[in-house]
Amino acid sequence: MKNSTEKIIVHYHLQHNAGTSFYQLAHNFTAATRACWQSAKHCLVSYNQDVEADNIRNNYFQYGTQYVSYETMLPPRFPLPFVSESAREGLFFTTIMRNPMSRLITWSRSDRHKPKVVGGPTENFWNEVSGKSGIYTRENLNVRWLSGALDAITEDHLNIAKCRLQLFDLVITDTLYDTAVNEVVCPLNNWRGRRFCNPNKSNEPNQKKQDPLNATDSHFIGAWIERLRPSFEVYDYARILSYAQLKAHGVKDVPPVSEVPSYIATLSKYTNITLKVPEESRVNLTNIYKLHPPREFCEKMKRVWESNADEVPYVYGIGALS
């Protein structure tokens, strides 16, 4: 590294999870790729983690690129984050995860998805997705991109997603965004003194828009919340990981994380259903073992991620060759 104390930030940008705002922060201070391009060899040059890592470091030495963002669905065997200490040297892996319903609402606001009749059961937002596949599907995108699931989501896909999350140096969840940016990301490379990385200003992306579902029948919303159950499970795991990782990075005043499972909290918000959450079901460090993927499963995935041959990845997403 040019400065041995600095790190190259390798970010995994889950679509509609504040990745663009995170890029804007980094771009204020360093050369950054909003979405790395496979054709330009910003990233995705090899399934082999050491070859991929060397490429990222070489781009830093040659061009000063200190922030690299992947915005693609990850094939199950693609090693991101990298596993071995040698591959991870000089790199700092981040990702951001929002409440799945918030991500879905952001998706619905884009022009190509705007409904013709607000709240109508036949509008684009509520169309049946059974049997449909694709990397930009609105249904459980976070789980799908982390695991490579193109069709039905299985328990293995959930475990792959969680095993990947464990490997990030910092998982940033929406409610801890400001804390993560001001207390860990900005000090990492001594970024300060501009619009971003100013402790007196909020870095949190502006999400204060009117909720388009306020006038929608709660039965339809409840059906979508149920459909997003896999993503709520992974989001709850990310929330606890984020809290624990911030503590591990030395942050003293980490805001408390709601112990109510996000599925129940979102259901209560939109349907006015009040559910009591027993102690054993609360989302906290005491119960994190219930959300952990099986250790042996993660160890097996690590062996896969560490043993890939030097082949060009075939992936789908922004910046990919395919």
Side-chain angles (χ1 to χ4, degrees):
M1 301 294 293
K2 296 177 182 177
N3 184 337
S4 60
T5 64
E6 294 191 350
K7 298 282 189 177
I8 301 169
I9 296 176
V10 181
H11 184 70
Y12 183 47
H13 182 172
L14 292 159
Q15 190 189 52
H16 298 316
N17 279 268
T20 301
S21 296
F22 199 60
Y23 157 77
Q24 290 170 345
L25 182 154
H27 189 54
N28 266 261
F29 298 95
T30 189
T33 63
R34 180 173 179 174
C36 58
W37 287 86
Q38 193 173 22
S39 59
K41 296 187 177 180
H42 297 148
C43 64
L44 298 168
V45 298
S46 179
Y47 269 112
N48 183 278
Q49 63 173 354
D50 293 305
V51 175
E52 184 76 2
D54 284 342
N55 180 69
I56 292 173
R57 285 189 285 263
N58 288 338
N59 283 336
Y60 171 71
F61 290 128
Q62 285 190 266
Y63 310 110
T65 308
Q66 200 171 13
Y67 175 92
V68 181
S69 176
Y70 290 71
E71 194 172 351
T72 62
M73 173 183 276
L74 297 175
R77 69 185 180 96
F78 186 79
L80 191 76
F82 307 145
V83 179
S84 70
E85 290 187 13
S86 59
R88 296 175 71 98
E89 183 180 357
L91 309 181
F92 190 84
F93 292 90
T94 61
T95 192
I96 303 172
M97 189 172 292
R98 298 171 62 201
N99 180 294
M101 200 65 182
S102 299
R103 196 216 73 85
L104 182 65
I105 289 171
T106 299
W107 174 90
S108 73
R109 284 195 174 106
S110 60
D111 288 337
R112 66 185 180 279
H113 303 307
K114 283 184 178 177
K116 296 179 181 179
V117 181
V118 175
T122 60
E123 68 186 40
N124 208 16
F125 186 83
W126 303 113
N127 280 350
E128 178 59 50
V129 297
S130 177
K132 296 184 179 180
S133 63
I135 67 165
Y136 295 112
T137 178
R138 61 204 154 225
E139 178 252 341
N140 290 301
L141 179 136
N142 290 351
V143 177
R144 293 182 181 282
W145 276 35
L146 284 164
S147 67
L150 285 169
D151 297 307
I153 294 174
T154 66
E155 191 69 23
D156 281 353
H157 291 125
L158 283 172
N159 287 331
I160 291 172
K162 291 179 180 181
C163 292
R164 282 198 196 277
L165 287 178
Q166 290 180 351
L167 291 172
F168 283 97
D169 293 292
L170 184 60
V171 175
I172 304 172
T173 49
D174 41 11
T175 59
L176 296 175
Y177 186 92
D178 266 348
T179 302
V181 166
N182 285 325
E183 301 293 334
V184 179
V185 177
C186 292
L188 184 69
N189 293 326
N190 199 30
W191 293 347
R192 59 186 178 184
R194 299 192 182 186
R195 173 190 165 196
F196 301 97
C197 293
N198 184 338
N200 297 319
K201 292 184 179 180
S202 173
N203 295 292
E204 187 174 352
N206 181 17
Q207 304 295 341
K208 307 300 182 182
K209 298 177 182 178
Q210 183 178 359
D211 193 327
L213 303 184
N214 284 342
T216 304
D217 189 302
S218 60
H219 291 85
F220 291 120
I221 302 177
W224 259 107
I225 293 172
E226 183 63 30
R227 182 173 278 170
L228 295 175
R229 283 292 285 272
S231 288
F232 281 114
E233 179 178 335
V234 172
Y235 174 64
D236 282 343
Y237 189 55
R239 290 197 295 135
I240 294 300
L241 281 181
S242 184
Y243 181 88
Q245 289 172 350
L246 287 170
K247 286 286 190 181
H249 283 295
V251 181
K252 295 180 180 179
D253 298 320
V254 182
V257 175
S258 171
E259 294 190 355
V260 179
S262 57
Y263 163 77
I264 293 177
T266 307
L267 197 64
S268 298
K269 174 182 176 180
Y270 286 107
T271 64
N272 294 320
I273 296 175
T274 302
L275 298 172
K276 184 177 180 180
V277 182
E279 288 294 328
E280 61 271 18
S281 298
R282 293 185 175 275
V283 180
N284 53 37
L285 290 174
T286 302
N287 292 331
I288 192 172
Y289 72 94
K290 295 181 179 180
L291 290 170
H292 276 319
R295 178 176 295 181
E296 60 275 14
F297 185 96
C298 289
E299 291 302 317
K300 180 179 179 180
M301 289 308 305
K302 287 178 183 178
R303 289 193 293 272
V304 170
W305 292 329
E306 288 188 286
S307 61
N308 284 318
D310 182 11
E311 303 169 349
V312 177
Y314 189 81
V315 298
Y316 298 97
I318 296 175
L321 291 173
S322 50

